[in-house]
Amino acid sequence: MKRLEEGESTWPSRKDVVSCAEVCGTWREICKDIVPSPEFCGKLTFPVSLKQPGPRDGLIQCFVKRDKSTSTYYLYLCLSPAVLSESGKFLLAAKRNRRTTYTEYIISMDPNNISRSTNGYVGKMRSNFLGTKFVVYDTQPPYNAGSLVSCGRGSRRISSRKVSPKVPTASYPIARVNYELNVLGTRGPRRMNCTMHSIPASALDPEGTVPGQPKKLFLPGSSSCEESFRSANTSSSSRFSVTERSLDFSSCRFSEAKERPLVLRNKEPRWHEQLQCWCLNFRGRVTVASVKNFQVQQQTQAPSSSSAPDHDKVILQFGKVAKDMFTMDYRYPLSAFQAFTICLTSFDSKLACE
């Protein structure tokens, strides 16, 4: 197992590591001790890696393929350094469903059946009518699950008796993404900020960590789902009542946790006089100009010159490389799931922001 972990660093040969972990329960425990999380090894090995923070040093390079005919988006891990290479390992899929007053994205590990009723369901995201405010929901309880307060008067509770006992009805609001309205109607780039309620701002400190990292992934088909919830590193009980969020985003509020949540903001592009366009340095990972392109870093009150180096790093970048194909690179403290949901917000049309 150690030889495989040290020698097989890329897919598809790395699937031998997963095969070893599937032998039996004892082998799985061995693999947990030998195979580090993405934060320390920079590799996505097991499904739970999609909910764990990315590497501190370097970026995990992925790409997103869009299918406009079905309003579906697929996330792949890059297997080649070439920007336009379509060889990749499938990670996640998302399907957009338009409603009368909002838009909902269902996120799943099953590319063929993207639904909340399948074993691959891992979370969802909802937006308001204008596509300017988004709330990300996770089936994984964060470390501060008890402090996340549901909002709105019209929220409805889902009784556990109405659904299969094997399907977790938990839906924790872990993040909020807002796009600023363009009141004056001037032409320019979008401005967005992301409040990561499941990640404290202290996570970017030199000795900081992301608390409550999952040891296993909560899947609807797991017979030990209830046991998995009890084993999670969270202060809340496994009987934590889950409330579906109201769609009144204006009244949405989150309780003030003991630790200040991490707030990310897109990096403002610079105007290029010769090219007559807004520009960002994606270091060759983005090749097509698009209003969807963005880079995200921590929002700091102090000037960048006096802030810590880790606070100025680009944590997530997303951009177009071809028709219906985009690159997505992320790092600590975001996970692949969190980064993917933030990138999905860029696809919604935002007439009020442009």
Side-chain angles (χ1 to χ4, degrees):
M1 188 64 229
K2 289 182 178 178
R3 178 180 59 82
L4 284 174
E5 173 59 23
E6 294 173 359
E8 308 298 350
S9 58
T10 58
W11 293 88
S13 58
R14 190 158 177 78
K15 66 182 179 182
D16 296 335
V17 178
V18 180
S19 299
C20 287
E22 293 175 348
V23 173
C24 64
T26 305
W27 272 88
R28 280 191 287 276
E29 293 303 319
I30 294 175
C31 292
K32 288 179 182 179
D33 296 332
I34 295 177
V35 180
S37 65
E39 179 181 349
F40 302 102
C41 70
K43 304 170 187 174
L44 298 176
T45 306
F46 303 116
V48 72
S49 302
L50 300 174
K51 295 289 185 77
Q52 295 174 333
R56 290 178 179 265
D57 300 323
L59 295 163
I60 291 183
Q61 296 183 342
C62 308
F63 66 89
V64 177
K65 294 184 70 175
R66 174 179 60 180
D67 187 345
K68 285 187 175 181
S69 61
T70 58
S71 298
T72 309
Y73 308 86
Y74 302 93
L75 177 67
Y76 296 87
L77 177 67
C78 290
L79 301 183
S80 170
V83 174
L84 290 176
S85 174
E86 294 193 11
S87 61
K89 172 180 169 49
F90 170 79
L91 299 178
L92 291 169
K95 185 174 180 61
R96 181 176 63 186
N97 300 311
R98 291 189 179 275
R99 309 299 184 189
T100 306
T101 58
Y102 67 94
T103 300
E104 184 177 65
Y105 291 81
I106 301 298
I107 304 167
S108 172
M109 293 193 302
D110 185 354
N112 300 317
N113 189 2
I114 307 174
S115 169
R116 294 182 62 180
S117 61
T118 63
N119 292 349
Y121 173 69
V122 293
K124 66 179 181 180
M125 181 176 67
R126 285 186 179 181
S127 75
N128 62 352
F129 177 75
L130 294 177
T132 57
K133 296 180 183 293
F134 298 80
V135 179
V136 180
Y137 302 91
D138 195 350
T139 56
Q140 210 86 28
Y143 78 101
N144 57 347
S147 66
L148 298 180
V149 179
S150 297
C151 65
R153 301 177 181 175
S155 58
R156 58 184 178 87
R157 294 184 181 273
I158 295 181
S159 171
S160 58
R161 298 178 181 177
K162 296 182 180 180
V163 295
S164 170
K166 292 184 178 181
V167 179
T169 58
S171 192
Y172 300 90
I174 62 165
R176 179 177 55 187
V177 182
N178 293 334
Y179 286 81
E180 295 182 8
L181 296 176
N182 186 356
V183 181
L184 300 179
T186 57
R187 296 190 62 182
R190 297 172 176 174
R191 296 180 179 178
M192 75 166 174
N193 62 77
C194 314
T195 305
M196 312 302 298
H197 295 280
S198 60
I199 304 176
S202 60
L204 287 181
D205 294 341
E207 301 297 328
T209 60
V210 177
Q213 294 186 31
K215 301 298 182 183
K216 59 178 69 176
L217 198 62
F218 303 152
L219 296 178
S222 173
S223 59
S224 59
C225 178
E226 186 177 350
E227 180 182 353
S228 299
F229 273 95
R230 286 199 296 267
S231 65
N233 294 328
T234 175
S235 58
S236 63
S237 167
S238 61
R239 296 179 180 178
F240 178 80
S241 62
V242 180
T243 306
E244 284 291 322
R245 304 290 302 252
S246 165
L247 296 179
D248 183 9
F249 286 82
S250 61
S251 64
C252 236
R253 66 180 181 86
F254 291 82
S255 68
E256 291 295 331
K258 292 182 179 179
E259 290 202 60
R260 184 168 53 90
L262 176 67
V263 179
L264 305 175
R265 190 175 183 85
N266 67 311
K267 189 175 182 179
E268 292 191 10
R270 297 181 178 178
W271 178 256
H272 197 292
E273 287 292 342
Q274 293 181 342
L275 298 178
Q276 289 293 298
C277 65
W278 297 95
C279 297
L280 283 170
N281 183 10
F282 289 94
R283 302 187 183 279
R285 289 286 294 163
V286 177
T287 57
V288 180
S290 173
V291 71
K292 298 178 177 63
N293 302 346
F294 67 83
Q295 290 179 325
V296 164
Q297 61 186 25
Q298 185 184 21
Q299 177 176 293
T300 56
Q301 301 295 335
S304 58
S305 59
S306 61
S307 58
D310 285 348
H311 293 250
D312 293 332
K313 286 182 178 178
V314 172
I315 297 176
L316 168 65
Q317 65 178 22
F318 176 78
K320 192 173 184 178
V321 292
K323 183 180 179 181
D324 297 326
M325 188 169 177
F326 306 79
T327 57
M328 185 196 89
D329 304 336
Y330 76 97
R331 71 187 324 142
Y332 176 90
L334 293 182
S335 65
F337 169 77
Q338 293 166 341
F340 186 40
T341 55
I342 294 175
C343 293
L344 288 175
T345 66
S346 186
F347 286 106
D348 262 25
S349 58
K350 300 170 178 57
L351 299 178
C353 302
E354 301 166 359

